[in-house]
Amino acid sequence: MRILALSLALLAAPAWSQSPRSGLEFQGEDIRRLQGDDFANPAMLWAERGAAAWQRKQGAANTSCADCHGAVEQSMRGVAARLPAWDARLGRVSTLEGRITACITREQRAAEPAPESHDLVGLLAYVALPSRGMPLRVDVAGPAQASFERGRELYAKRIGQMNLACTHCHDRQAGKTLLAEKISQGQPTAWPAYRMEWQAAGTLERRLRACFLGVRAEMPNYRDDDLVALQLYLAWRAQGLPLEAPGVRR
Amino acid sequence: MKRRHFLQLGGIGLASTALPLHAQQLMPAQDLAPLIRAVVGDAAPKSGRIRITLPQLAENGNSVPLELNVDSPMTEAEHVRSLHVFAERNPRPLIASFHLGPHAGRARVTTRIRLAGSQRVVAIAVLSDGSAWSNEVEVVVTSAACLDEMSL
Amino acid sequence: MTEAVNVGRLRVPPRAKRGEVVEIRLLLQHPMENGFRRDTLGRSVPRNIIHRLVAHYDGREILRAELGTGMAANPYFAFFTRAGASGEVIIEWEDDLGVKGSLRAPIEVS
């Protein structure tokens, strides 16, 4: 009997496991209201910038995103909720940012946009908008599996001077208070998002890099394979939660 | 250096290891009287008439929602001429002056401000009859729990 | 992130009744650099804020703001005007680098 109880306990989800909840639920009233107000949400300024960038012809090919893809409302509907995903042409798992930068360098034959440049963050926000409200659903099987497993491993791996893994804060301590803030589950549904701390909109990669710094670990470079793997794992972990991008966070 | 000062500094050093950098740079409260005189003149503001809506507790001092509101018919004969807002611990306490007039229709302005830490926020309204009115609120600004690249 | 920023959003009700008090909402993309920050190499970031903003409607000034370093980045404003005649709401601003911007939106008054 005792052995049965023990093995049942081992089979059951750990005590700290919770059903996925949007990071919005861990924000204060002002941020929740701001994200709900499409006029006042400052991230929409970036989306507007992205709308202009979508129409702008550039590069040696002198083409715009719209020349090939038409209106985002049709061509990009659902795309942001399915990424990161394996990209056969690139031969690796790619984020939405990876897809867009590949398109810019390969199709428009323009210079690769710098990480976190206003126009790039703007394009991410603008392309994500038609997928707002759609549940996250990423494919982690097949060729994406190795990256997914790497992401899962990184999520649980202790790093930095604080010797903490993602899971220590965002699973075991989620919902508890750190200084005056509620620790979130680390769900990635708002990104790109306007972050009060930055006084600007930025990508999930920028937010994750800040987490590495938070535990006093070495920050991976932007667009590093490990950051992509982590984003794939986070998207899988958040499956079913609706996309909120572009959102607002502390 | 006197021993007492040294101990105080040591105490600050100890406390600050747990706090992000921007939370350590608390400005002393500044005397707002001369700044208020500069915008309203010699008429001493009376207490009342202007309402300040600010959260009691702000999550992030970079962007705090603020509303200033005065009950006024906003006619040629009787209107609000200007609204001014000050934060006594901000490096520059005068945050903004809004000049209105009868064409504004309603004496209400909403915006978002920066607050360098917990402090008193004072707002002044100057009316068309030359009178000045003031009100104040205390706001607690909390520090970010996590380090960020910008705090380095 | 030194790209020129010139994005803004202005919302006014497109139609209003004469005498009605209508809300004007404005959101501008601007870093509102307060001049007290340092970059990652320790260099002081020079102050650059929108220091002046004026709103006109139907040829009359309805709001004039003098702004300081205590204004939030990407500043937001909501204020009011009384609908008189059909006309345009015109917002004009200027920052410390002398960069000027403007936005306009019509109100049809019946």
Side-chain angles (χ1 to χ4, degrees):
Chain A
M1 192 63 209
R2 202 191 244 172
I3 293 169
L4 181 66
L6 191 67
S7 37
L8 276 177
L10 285 173
L11 279 171
W16 58 82
S17 133
Q18 305 168 356
S19 58
R21 285 163 64 198
S22 160
L24 195 62
E25 295 183 34
F26 300 86
Q27 308 293 312
E29 191 192 342
D30 175 50
I31 286 179
R32 291 200 301 269
R33 196 183 305 134
L34 202 53
Q35 181 170 302
D37 181 342
D38 272 351
F39 183 85
N41 175 352
M44 296 302 275
L45 288 167
W46 273 258
E48 229 150 82
R49 231 192 151 94
W54 183 262
Q55 299 291 341
R56 196 181 305 131
K57 288 181 191 293
Q58 65 165 3
N62 195 33
T63 50
S64 70
C65 309
D67 287 341
C68 292
H69 299 284
V72 281
E73 290 77 11
Q74 282 89 48
S75 62
M76 294 296 140
R77 202 178 136 76
V79 170
R82 292 195 297 267
L83 292 172
W86 176 258
D87 187 313
R89 268 185 85 179
L90 291 170
R92 56 182 154 86
V93 169
S94 174
T95 58
L96 179 59
E97 179 180 343
R99 291 279 177 98
I100 289 175
T101 52
C103 221
I104 288 171
T105 53
R106 193 171 60 197
E107 310 299 336
Q108 294 183 318
R109 282 180 278 137
E112 182 173 274
E116 304 304 309
S117 61
H118 285 314
D119 278 348
L120 179 60
V121 174
L123 271 174
L124 290 171
Y126 184 62
V127 166
L129 260 178
S131 308
R132 242 192 189 180
M134 294 186 179
L136 261 58
R137 191 161 303 279
V138 291
D139 185 1
V140 300
Q145 198 181 346
S147 174
F148 170 72
E149 294 299 345
R150 174 69 179 151
R152 172 146 61 187
E153 181 193 325
L154 287 168
Y155 185 84
K157 185 181 168 193
R158 288 183 183 272
I159 52 166
Q161 289 175 322
M162 289 193 167
N163 200 29
L164 288 171
C166 311
T167 183
H168 293 125
C169 288
H170 296 291
D171 290 315
R172 301 187 197 196
Q173 308 297 336
K176 292 187 188 164
T177 302
L178 185 63
L179 291 187
E181 294 180 356
K182 273 221 164 65
I183 302 173
S184 80
Q185 294 180 349
Q187 307 291 359
T189 48
W191 302 90
Y194 188 86
R195 190 153 182 252
M196 296 296 193
E197 195 63 39
W198 300 334
Q199 308 182 57
T203 67
L204 180 57
E205 293 205 358
R206 185 174 177 192
R207 183 65 192 87
L208 290 175
R209 275 165 49 89
C211 273
F212 280 81
L213 185 75
V215 298
R216 278 66 154 176
E218 197 177 321
M219 286 192 287
N221 288 327
Y222 280 107
R223 298 165 186 172
D224 186 281
D225 283 344
D226 275 355
L227 272 184
V228 173
L230 205 44
Q231 289 174 89
L232 178 61
Y233 175 70
L234 289 177
W236 173 83
R237 186 171 162 270
Q239 302 213 68
L241 285 180
L243 190 75
E244 298 158 41
V248 185
R249 291 294 182 266
R250 276 188 295 260
Chain B
M1 183 186 275
K2 286 183 180 165
R3 187 178 129 92
R4 193 167 57 234
H5 287 166
F6 176 78
L7 287 175
Q8 278 170 354
L9 285 174
I12 292 168
L14 207 66
S16 57
T17 54
L19 289 171
L21 194 63
H22 55 87
Q24 300 162 31
Q25 300 166 332
L26 279 183
M27 296 280 295
Q30 295 170 72
D31 180 13
L32 296 181
L35 300 170
I36 291 173
R37 252 198 316 279
V39 293
V40 304
D42 286 328
K46 286 166 278 193
S47 179
R49 296 291 302 261
I50 180 164
R51 281 196 305 279
I52 307 171
T53 309
L54 266 171
Q56 282 183 310
L57 192 135
E59 274 190 292
N60 190 302
N62 286 335
S63 183
V64 185
L66 164 75
E67 185 178 284
L68 303 175
N69 194 357
V70 182
D71 272 327
S72 163
M74 295 304 273
T75 58
E76 287 289 347
E78 189 183 349
H79 56 262
V80 175
R81 248 191 244 158
S82 59
L83 302 169
H84 310 268
V85 58
F86 303 87
E88 63 182 7
R89 286 182 195 273
N90 273 11
R92 300 276 181 277
L94 175 55
I95 293 174
S97 293
F98 300 100
H99 303 271
L100 309 172
H103 306 298
R106 183 176 297 166
R108 187 163 103 196
V109 175
T110 309
T111 187
R112 301 186 73 92
I113 63 172
R114 288 179 173 135
L115 293 175
S118 303
Q119 57 182 311
R120 191 169 63 118
V121 173
V122 178
I124 310 276
V126 180
L127 308 190
S128 51
D129 64 4
S131 66
W133 299 83
S134 82
N135 207 337
E136 58 182 65
V137 294
E138 292 282 343
V139 184
V140 172
V141 179
T142 62
S143 303
C146 298
L147 261 189
D148 202 272
E149 71 218 81
M150 295 306 283
S151 341
L152 276 176
Chain C
M1 284 182 227
T2 51
E3 301 155 87
V5 279
N6 49 14
V7 179
R9 321 180 85 196
L10 169 64
R11 183 171 293 173
V12 301
R15 276 170 294 280
K17 292 210 162 34
R18 180 177 294 271
E20 189 186 340
V21 174
V22 296
E23 189 182 36
I24 297 166
R25 302 179 86 195
L26 178 69
L27 182 67
L28 303 175
Q29 193 181 42
H30 197 285
M32 299 296 275
E33 270 303 338
N34 61 15
F36 305 118
R37 297 203 310 162
R38 288 181 181 276
D39 66 16
T40 44
L41 297 176
R43 296 171 302 207
S44 173
V45 182
R47 183 187 125 150
N48 178 26
I49 63 170
I50 294 172
H51 57 265
R52 186 183 156 82
L53 182 129
V54 189
H56 284 89
Y57 159 58
D58 192 21
R60 293 171 170 141
E61 182 182 293
I62 53 174
L63 177 105
R64 177 165 47 89
E66 286 137 26
L67 307 173
T69 52
M71 291 293 295
N74 304 299
Y76 169 82
F77 305 91
F79 50 96
F80 294 85
T81 192
R82 189 174 279 126
S86 292
E88 262 188 326
V89 171
I90 303 171
I91 314 283
E92 293 166 296
W93 66 91
E94 185 177 354
D95 74 10
D96 293 339
L97 298 177
V99 176
K100 293 177 181 164
S102 70
L103 285 170
R104 41 185 73 210
I107 304 183
E108 197 186 303
V109 177
S110 57

